[in-house]
Amino acid sequence: MDDHRDDKYKETELDQKESGTEEKKGDDSGSDYEDVCFICRRPESKAGKMFKLPNNICVCDDCMHKTMDTVSQFDYQGLLNNPNMGDLNGKGFPNISFVNLADLQGDGGIPNKQKPKKKKKEKAAEIDIRDIMPPHKIKQKLDEYVVGQEHAKKVMSVAVYNHYKRVATGTMDEIEIEKSNMLMIGPTGCGKTYLVKTLAKLLDVPLAIADATSLTEAGYIGDDIESVVSKLLAAADNDVERAERGIIFIDEIDKIAKKKNTNSRDVSGESVQQGMLKLLEGAEVEVPVGANSKNAMVPLATVNTRNILFICGGAFPDLDEIIKQRLNKKTSIGYSAELKDKYDKEKNILSRVTVEDIRKFGMIPEFIGRLPVVFTLEGLSRDMMVQILKEPRNAILKQYQKLLELDEVELLFNEGALEAIADKAMEKETGARALRAIIEEFMLDIMYEVPKDDNIGRVTITREYIEGNGGPIIDIRSRSAEHPDRLKVVQQPVIGS
């Protein structure tokens, strides 16, 4: 009986060895993601070689040994000394039920979004300095999408060009080049986020957009500061090397200014600024993969932020008052005195901002010092609103024209209609975001009615329709040969966007 049992054990052991060899072979040609320990959730790069179990379950060396040590210390209900333990005809293990490993979802119960990508064996391709787009070409591309903001586009083009030259070369004659982190200041709806999104698309680098309002000091409810890097890692498809060359845009940065006249702990203000210092400067941080916060069930990856470009943006409300106070200090008594309301009517007062004003607003000096490139964006004028409606490559009007084109209907806006839309948007004081809301409102009935009637061939939006004094001009398709475009001609001239 003992000999028979020994033979059975030898066969089982041989089968396990063979299956282990097959799994190992399969792993060599396997997925691009690192194996993650099913128990401690550490990736292979941190935990070392994994033990392969059925159903793609992986367990690291430490966890396997701890498990075996724990089992060997206790004899659960006489399992180890049970003579029927290896007898397949016996009753099996008393009072014990087993988990069906096939029921676990994903690859070993851990989805790919929570696995870091394997580092390539060959050295990652370095950025060729000759492939980096020069500043004038970057600005030229931005001009196709963004209206106005000439100064902002120029500053961003130069800063990005210098940053990626720094990434490509590392050092120049033993001189360490510092990062060109940026701080954008401008009213709401002037195009801060849109500029950064367009820039990342042009450069083909991963981009993470985070909101500073949700960030808190470690240990408090809210997102940890490292979560902004975790978002970048997710945008880079968990590829650490690609993420280390990406861009992080932190919006609403003015919301983490120091709270004035408060005695309580400032966990979402000054503490967040201090926590971000190491990220802006460049440090190795451990970030959770596929999650916003660290916990025992999420694997961690190490990301170096030395070559990540940080762009911070905010509206900084009431900063103009701080600038006026500083400028009015020069006011004196006598004939050469300046009026106190001299700067009240100046539209672009934010362009006079200095580091001193930002510090007075509530940003700590160490934080401002790590954002060397500071520039402002102009508030949108009526003429800029009209240009935004029709000129950019993906202008709002072009989007609606495309939608109606799919129904074989031509959509036109005359110049008066565009001016009326711009006037309504200026009243709302929410920048370019108001344009979409206004057009959605007026296009609702048209988008609803057009698919009903196959005879509609062209719709022209007029100023009267926008102002509520009339309706759009609708042209019916003509089947006669005198109209080659199959539309009845409209006498009123219209201008396409």
Side-chain angles (χ1 to χ4, degrees):
M1 179 71 180
D2 289 340
D3 293 340
H4 175 65
R5 189 180 301 159
D6 288 342
D7 291 341
K8 196 174 287 182
Y9 281 149
K10 281 176 186 174
E11 286 174 13
T12 309
E13 196 176 345
L14 186 64
D15 290 342
Q16 286 177 347
K17 280 182 180 175
E18 286 175 357
S19 64
T21 311
E22 284 174 12
E23 292 219 15
K24 191 173 180 183
K25 282 179 186 173
D27 182 58
D28 291 339
S29 60
S31 81
D32 294 336
Y33 295 94
E34 288 187 48
D35 290 328
V36 175
C37 175
F38 188 74
I39 298 172
C40 70
R41 286 303 205 263
R42 289 185 300 166
E44 196 173 9
S45 56
K46 290 184 182 296
K49 196 68 180 168
M50 299 279 178
F51 286 93
K52 309 283 185 184
L53 301 179
N55 285 73
N56 294 322
I57 302 275
C58 299
V59 180
C60 71
D61 191 58
D62 293 340
C63 292
M64 182 63 83
H65 280 89
K66 283 176 188 173
T67 306
M68 297 307 293
D69 289 344
T70 305
V71 169
S72 64
Q73 286 175 16
F74 304 100
D75 185 7
Y76 294 107
Q77 298 189 14
L79 284 180
L80 298 180
N81 298 317
N82 188 350
N84 294 323
M85 181 177 171
D87 188 0
L88 298 176
N89 297 321
K91 292 182 180 179
F93 302 105
N95 300 325
I96 290 179
S97 60
F98 289 93
V99 175
N100 182 5
L101 297 178
D103 292 339
L104 295 166
Q105 296 295 318
D107 189 5
I110 305 170
N112 282 343
K113 71 174 184 179
Q114 288 191 352
K115 291 183 180 181
K117 275 203 168 181
K118 287 179 182 174
K119 291 197 174 180
K120 310 287 188 295
K121 288 182 182 177
E122 65 275 3
K123 195 176 179 183
E126 296 292 330
I127 296 177
D128 189 346
I129 196 164
R130 288 169 296 185
D131 293 339
I132 303 170
M133 212 183 289
H136 68 279
K137 286 195 177 174
I138 296 174
K139 184 181 177 299
Q140 197 176 332
K141 291 281 185 185
L142 288 174
D143 286 338
E144 294 179 16
Y145 294 91
V146 183
V147 168
Q149 313 297 3
E150 296 301 315
H151 176 67
K153 288 189 283 193
K154 193 174 180 179
V155 173
M156 286 185 84
S157 303
V158 172
V160 165
Y161 179 62
N162 287 340
H163 172 74
Y164 283 102
K165 272 201 297 187
R166 170 186 178 275
V167 173
T169 56
T171 57
M172 283 186 181
D173 301 328
E174 310 276 323
I175 296 172
E176 184 75 25
I177 305 168
E178 292 193 2
K179 277 205 289 184
S180 306
N181 292 331
M182 294 178 243
L183 175 62
M184 310 167 70
I185 301 171
T188 182
C190 68
K192 297 185 292 291
T193 309
Y194 188 62
L195 259 174
V196 178
K197 278 184 179 176
T198 308
L199 194 64
K201 197 196 309 180
L202 296 177
L203 298 170
D204 191 27
V205 292
L207 168 70
I209 298 176
D211 202 325
T213 48
S214 62
L215 301 178
T216 55
E217 189 182 350
Y220 289 84
I221 292 173
D223 290 342
D224 287 345
I225 294 155
E226 287 88 358
S227 69
V228 297
V229 184
S230 185
K231 284 181 182 177
L232 182 67
L233 187 60
D237 197 20
N238 297 352
D239 188 337
V240 174
E241 290 180 2
R242 190 159 181 262
E244 286 175 348
R245 293 172 180 168
I247 297 174
I248 293 178
F249 177 58
I250 305 174
D251 204 1
E252 308 290 352
I253 201 72
D254 50 304
K255 305 302 185 288
I256 60 167
K258 283 195 293 185
K259 307 291 183 288
K260 295 175 177 66
N261 304 323
T262 178
N263 296 322
S264 59
R265 188 171 181 84
D266 194 4
V267 297
S268 61
E270 186 178 356
S271 299
V272 176
Q273 290 185 52
Q274 288 169 346
M276 286 178 68
L277 297 181
K278 62 175 183 176
L279 295 186
L280 296 170
E281 187 79 27
E284 288 199 346
V285 289
E286 284 199 332
V287 296
V289 181
N292 282 343
S293 57
K294 297 177 184 176
N295 61 65
M297 297 304 289
V298 177
L300 300 177
T302 305
V303 179
N304 192 330
T305 65
R306 183 177 169 272
N307 290 331
I308 295 174
L309 181 63
F310 284 84
I311 303 175
C312 300
F316 287 85
D318 301 328
L319 181 62
D320 53 344
E321 295 300 324
I322 295 170
I323 297 169
K324 285 173 190 174
Q325 282 176 15
R326 175 175 55 81
L327 294 172
N328 282 329
K329 279 181 184 176
K330 299 172 186 175
T331 303
S332 57
I333 299 171
Y335 291 111
S336 61
E338 294 178 351
L339 294 173
K340 281 196 172 183
D341 61 353
K342 176 183 177 183
Y343 301 103
D344 287 353
K345 293 179 182 177
E346 191 170 336
K347 285 186 179 178
N348 206 13
I349 189 76
L350 284 177
S351 62
R352 292 170 172 259
V353 71
T354 62
V355 172
E356 180 195 337
D357 300 323
I358 301 168
R359 186 186 57 76
K360 212 167 184 181
F361 185 86
M363 312 307 284
I364 61 175
E366 301 94 321
F367 184 80
I368 305 165
R370 285 167 173 80
L371 298 166
V373 182
V374 180
F375 59 96
T376 59
L377 285 82
E378 306 166 28
L380 299 179
S381 65
R382 180 172 175 268
D383 292 340
M384 287 172 76
M385 291 277 198
V386 173
Q387 286 179 288
I388 288 167
L389 280 169
K390 59 180 184 178
E391 286 184 10
R393 182 177 285 190
N394 58 341
I396 307 167
L397 301 190
K398 291 178 183 175
Q399 294 175 33
Y400 277 99
Q401 284 176 329
K402 189 70 181 173
L403 282 171
L404 282 180
E405 195 180 298
L406 297 173
D407 290 324
E408 296 183 357
V409 176
E410 187 181 3
L411 177 66
L412 298 173
F413 288 78
N414 65 24
E415 201 67 33
L418 300 182
E419 289 168 2
I421 293 169
D423 288 335
K424 283 184 177 290
M426 292 294 286
E427 288 170 16
K428 289 184 182 285
E429 295 184 352
T430 55
R433 292 187 181 95
L435 294 171
R436 180 81 196 217
I438 292 165
I439 293 181
E440 283 280 354
E441 180 188 339
F442 286 102
M443 289 298 297
L444 176 65
D445 289 337
I446 293 168
M447 301 296 282
Y448 182 79
E449 296 294 338
V450 161
K452 279 187 187 177
D453 192 348
D454 290 339
N455 292 322
I456 296 174
R458 178 163 57 200
V459 178
T460 306
I461 308 296
T462 61
R463 179 190 281 274
E464 289 74 30
Y465 177 53
I466 301 297
E467 291 176 348
N469 301 324
I473 299 171
I474 295 175
D475 297 332
I476 305 301
R477 297 180 195 277
S478 172
R479 305 194 190 286
S480 64
E482 62 189 77
H483 302 300
D485 59 353
R486 299 178 65 194
L487 291 168
K488 290 183 180 176
V489 178
V490 182
Q491 297 301 319
Q492 181 183 349
V494 291
I495 300 168
S497 59

